[in-house]
């Protein structure tokens, strides 16, 4: 049984090869290409038309750069960031750019396969350690001024004066 066609993009050869082997051996995925840069990911996605693209954030021509370009393909593959970056701005940029998942590289092989299976069934996924921070960030009111005085209660402002 062949599975979903996958492209793996990561600039660390040992990690890239391990992810590709894990996915291929699961029987759920068919790794059609592995590449080391965003530019190679864009070209390889065009040539191989994968159903799923796994992108590292920190590689030459970064993952976000590649994500934006691959998202323009018709049809666009499902895209998932697989990275060490826990930067909130990067998570938001990836999700806004079209990524359906944001996974951290500390994930185990069986969990990676299970999570990607769910993503390919239409779910979205953000690493649990990041999800709570993202929700808190989304719920916190954005300051309306740079000095933050407008965030003070009336009593705090009186005390300050």
């Amino acid at each position: 049984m062949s599975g979903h066609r996958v492209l793996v993009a990561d600039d660390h050869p040992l990690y890239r090869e391990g992810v590709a082997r894990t996915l291929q051996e699961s029987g759920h995925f068919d790794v059609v290409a592995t590449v080391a840069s965003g530019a190679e990911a864009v070209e390889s996605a065009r040539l191989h038309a994968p159903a799923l693209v796994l992108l590292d954030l920190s590689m030459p021509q970064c993952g976000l750069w590649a994500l934006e370009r691959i998202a323009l393909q018709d049809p666009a593959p499902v895209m998932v960031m697989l990275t060490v970056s826990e930067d909130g701005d990067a998570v938001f940029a990836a999700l806004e750019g079209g990524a359906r998942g944001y996974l951290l590289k500390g994930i185990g092989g069986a969990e990676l396969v299970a999570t990607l299976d769910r993503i390919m069934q239409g779910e979205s996924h953000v690493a649990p350690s990041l999800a709570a921070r993202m929700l808190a960030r989304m719920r916190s009111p954005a300051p309306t001024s740079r000095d933050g005085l407008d965030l003070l209660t009336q009593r705090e402002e009186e005390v300050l004066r």
Side-chain angles (χ1 to χ4, degrees):
M1 172 184 134
S2 73
H4 299 287
R5 295 168 51 83
V6 181
L7 164 64
V8 178
D10 192 295
D11 61 333
H12 293 96
L14 187 60
Y15 189 81
R16 181 177 64 240
E17 291 165 11
V19 168
R21 186 173 299 111
T22 296
L23 296 177
Q24 192 69 43
E25 289 176 358
S26 75
H28 299 216
F29 300 95
D30 179 23
V31 178
V32 295
T34 62
V35 298
S37 73
E40 291 173 322
V42 172
E43 181 63 16
S44 190
R46 187 185 64 73
L47 289 173
H48 298 285
L52 172 65
V53 176
L54 294 180
L55 294 166
D56 183 20
L57 188 65
S58 302
M59 62 180 168
Q61 299 92 35
C62 87
L64 290 176
W65 180 89
L67 177 82
E68 292 173 2
R69 283 147 184 84
I70 295 170
L72 298 174
Q73 294 182 0
D74 186 23
V78 171
M79 292 177 287
V80 174
M81 305 307 290
L82 181 59
T83 184
V84 297
S85 176
E86 296 186 35
D87 175 59
D89 291 337
V91 176
F92 277 116
L95 297 175
E96 288 174 348
R100 195 173 306 158
Y102 196 98
L103 310 177
L104 297 176
K105 285 186 174 180
I107 193 169
E111 186 180 356
L112 175 64
V113 170
T115 301
L116 293 176
D117 277 337
R118 288 191 306 273
I119 289 171
M120 293 308 292
Q121 292 170 15
E123 291 184 21
S124 295
H125 185 88
V126 174
S129 63
L130 297 175
R133 283 192 280 164
M134 296 298 95
L135 286 172
R137 179 176 167 177
M138 290 168 57
R139 290 183 181 144
S140 66
T144 55
S145 72
R146 288 183 294 165
D147 60 14
L149 291 177
D150 54 330
L151 298 177
L152 298 177
T153 64
Q154 186 176 7
R155 178 67 183 139
E156 289 171 330
E157 190 175 337
E158 289 171 11
V159 170
L160 182 60
R161 288 182 196 279

